[in-house]
Amino acid sequence: MKYLKQVFGGNLQQYTMALALIALIVVFNVISGGRMLTPSNFQNLISGNAYVLVLAIGMVMVIVVGHIDLSVGSVSAFVGMCVALSIRDLGFPWWLGLLLGLVVGIVVGAWHGFWLSKMGIPGFITTLAGMMIFRGLVIWISKSISVPVPSEFTVFGAGYLPEWGPDTGLNNSTLLLGLVAIAWFVVHELRRRRALLARKHEAPLWASIARIVLVSVIIGYATYLFGSGRPGTSFPIPGLILVGLVIIYHILTQRTRFGRHIYAVGGNKAAAALSGVSVPKVYFFVMMNMSFLAAVAGILFIGRSTAAGPTDGTAWELDAIAAVFIGGAAVSGGIGTVTGSMIGGLVMAVLNSGLMLMGVGADQTQVIKGLVLLAAVAFDVRNKVAGKPSIIGTMTRRFSKDKAEPLPLKTD
C-alpha cells in the first residue's frame, strides 16, 4: 500500500472514481462480449455525451460556490432554437447564427447573475424561474415544431478529425493528438517531480516512471481505439472541443486568482468577503459562464441532431448535476474539480452505454444511475464525518504494513 500511495501521489481517494470508471468499462466489455471497447461505440459515447460534459464544466463552478443551476437544459434548447430560427427566418449565415447563440447564452447568464448577485435571490430559485421561462420561450418561438440547421453545424456535433499523411493503420490526426497528450504528461510529471524535490519532499524516480508508463498506456490504448475505426472516422470534433474547454477551465479554476476566489467563496463566504473577495462579482460571472457553456452545449447538440426541437434539453441539468457530484464535488460547496466532473460524467455515459448493450431498459437504467448518484454523495458525506475513517481508509487499512504499534500504558 505504501508503494501504491507513492505511485498515485499519496492520495488514493482522488483516484477512486477514475479506477471505478476503468473497472466499469472492463466489466461491461466482458459482459457484452467485447462490444463495449470498440471504436464506433467509444466515438459515439463521446459525441453523444459531449453536451452533458460541457454543462458539467460550468456546473461544478456553480456548485463549488454553493448554488445550483436548474435552467441549463432550457437555456441550451432556447439557444439552439434561436440559432436555427435566425438562419432560417432572418437569413443569417451559419457562422453569424452560431455567434448569435453564444451571445444569447451570455445575456441569459447575465440575467441570472443579476438576480443572484444584485437582488440576493438564491440560485436555486433564480434558475428554477429561468427553467420555466426559457422552456416556455422555446415552445413559443418554435410553435412546437423542429427547425433544421445547416450542414456546417454537423462538424461541431458529429464531425471527426481529418485524415492526412501516409498510411499508418490509424487516423493520423488522432495519432498525433495521442502523441501530444503523452508528451505533455511526461513533461508535466517531470516538472512536478522537480518541484517536489525543490521543496524537500519525497519523490522517488521509480514512482514517476510508473505513473508515466501507466498513463501513457491508457492514452495509447485510447488513441488506438479512436483511430482504428472504420474509414472516415477518428476522434470526434465534439470531443476535441471538450478537451479544449477542460484545459481552459482547469487552468482557470486551479491557476488563476479568479479560480481561488471561487473556492474561497464556496468554502466560507463571510471569510472570503472579509479578505477582499467580491462575492457578488464571483456569483455574477459564475452564473454568466454557466449559461455561456449551456449555449455551447446547445450548439453541439443541434449539430449532432441536425435540427433544433422544442423538447431539446429536457433533464440535461439533472445529468450535469449528477456528473459533478459523482466526480467528487461536495454537497456543501467549496470542493470540486473540472477533471473530477469529467470523470463523473464519463461514469454516467459508460453506464448508459453499457446497460444499453446489455439490453437494460431506460426505466431500469434510471434506477441504476440514481443509486450510483446516491452512493457517490453518501461516500462524500461519510468522508466528512469527524472522527470516522474514510471508506478508502477502511478498505485499505488491512493491507497496510506500516501500522503503528499502540504505546504501552504508563504505570506508577
Side-chain angles (χ1 to χ4, degrees), residues 43-399:
Q43 289 165 358
N44 290 329
L45 187 147
I46 296 298
S47 295
N49 292 277
Y51 62 92
V52 173
L53 295 173
V54 169
L55 292 177
I57 294 174
M59 190 65 74
V60 68
M61 298 168 68
V62 175
I63 289 175
V64 164
V65 298
H67 290 277
I68 205 160
D69 194 330
L70 299 177
S71 69
V72 292
S74 299
V75 172
S76 295
F78 179 67
V79 167
M81 189 58 67
C82 287
V83 171
L85 289 175
S86 68
I87 294 172
R88 188 193 70 176
D89 297 345
L90 301 180
F92 284 14
W94 70 268
W95 58 268
L96 186 57
L98 187 149
L99 291 177
L100 173 67
L102 297 179
V103 171
V104 169
I106 292 172
V107 171
V108 170
W111 165 264
H112 288 155
F114 167 78
W115 289 103
L116 173 59
S117 63
K118 300 299 183 182
M119 304 303 293
I121 299 177
F124 180 88
I125 301 301
T126 298
T127 57
L128 178 61
M131 180 178 69
M132 298 175 181
I133 292 169
F134 294 106
R135 178 57 60 188
L137 285 174
V138 171
I139 299 172
W140 185 12
I141 65 177
S142 69
K143 298 180 175 61
S144 297
I145 298 174
S146 294
V147 180
V149 295
S151 58
E152 287 85 355
F153 281 89
T154 305
V155 175
F156 299 106
Y160 296 99
L161 294 179
E163 180 59 271
W164 52 271
D167 184 9
T168 60
L170 298 175
N171 176 272
N172 286 331
S173 295
T174 305
L175 179 60
L176 178 62
L177 184 64
L179 292 175
V180 169
I182 291 174
W184 173 85
F185 184 79
V186 171
V187 173
H188 170 76
E189 180 59 31
L190 294 178
R191 287 180 175 176
R192 174 179 174 275
R193 181 173 182 272
R194 190 182 305 121
L196 288 174
L197 291 175
R199 296 196 297 267
K200 308 300 182 182
H201 291 175
E202 183 181 5
L205 179 61
W206 70 265
S208 295
I209 293 175
R211 273 193 296 272
I212 290 173
V213 171
L214 179 62
V215 173
S216 297
V217 167
I218 293 173
I219 296 175
Y221 183 74
T223 302
Y224 168 78
L225 198 62
F226 285 109
S228 61
R230 68 183 187 277
T233 65
S234 60
F235 190 76
I237 295 295
L240 187 63
I241 295 172
L242 177 66
V243 169
L245 290 173
V246 168
I247 293 172
I248 292 170
Y249 280 92
H250 174 76
I251 294 173
L252 174 68
T253 56
Q254 303 296 321
R255 305 290 179 84
T256 68
R257 182 181 180 184
F258 182 69
R260 291 192 293 271
H261 287 179
I262 291 173
Y263 286 96
V265 170
N268 190 319
K269 182 174 66 174
L274 290 174
S275 64
V277 176
S278 175
V279 175
K281 182 179 178 180
V282 171
Y283 283 165
F284 181 85
F285 281 103
V286 164
M287 298 304 292
M288 185 168 67
N289 175 74
M290 180 70 261
S291 291
F292 167 75
L293 290 177
V296 174
I299 291 170
L300 293 180
F301 185 79
I302 62 174
R304 181 172 174 80
S305 62
T306 69
T311 60
D312 292 350
T314 303
W316 287 8
E317 58 276 355
L318 303 182
D319 288 335
I321 293 168
V324 172
F325 284 128
I326 291 174
V331 179
S332 56
I335 297 175
T337 62
V338 171
T339 52
S341 298
M342 292 302 97
I343 294 174
L346 288 174
V347 167
M348 299 288 283
V350 169
L351 272 175
N352 282 330
S353 178
L355 293 172
M356 182 180 67
L357 291 174
M358 293 171 58
V360 177
D363 50 352
Q364 296 175 350
T365 298
Q366 288 295 100
V367 172
I368 294 171
K369 288 164 63 176
L371 291 174
V372 170
L373 174 60
L374 189 62
V377 176
F379 180 90
D380 170 69
V381 172
R382 165 78 185 196
N383 283 341
K384 292 176 175 58
V385 174
K388 289 188 177 182
S390 69
I391 293 176
I392 295 299
T394 303
M395 293 170 60
T396 59
R397 187 185 295 111
R398 71 180 66 179
F399 301 105

Side-chain angles (χ1 to χ4, degrees), residues 4-16 192 392:
L4 281 177
K5 287 184 177 181
Q6 288 179 325
V7 171
F8 289 105
N11 186 2
L12 287 176
Q13 183 178 325
Q14 65 179 335
Y15 294 96
T16 302
R192 174 179 174 275
I392 295 299

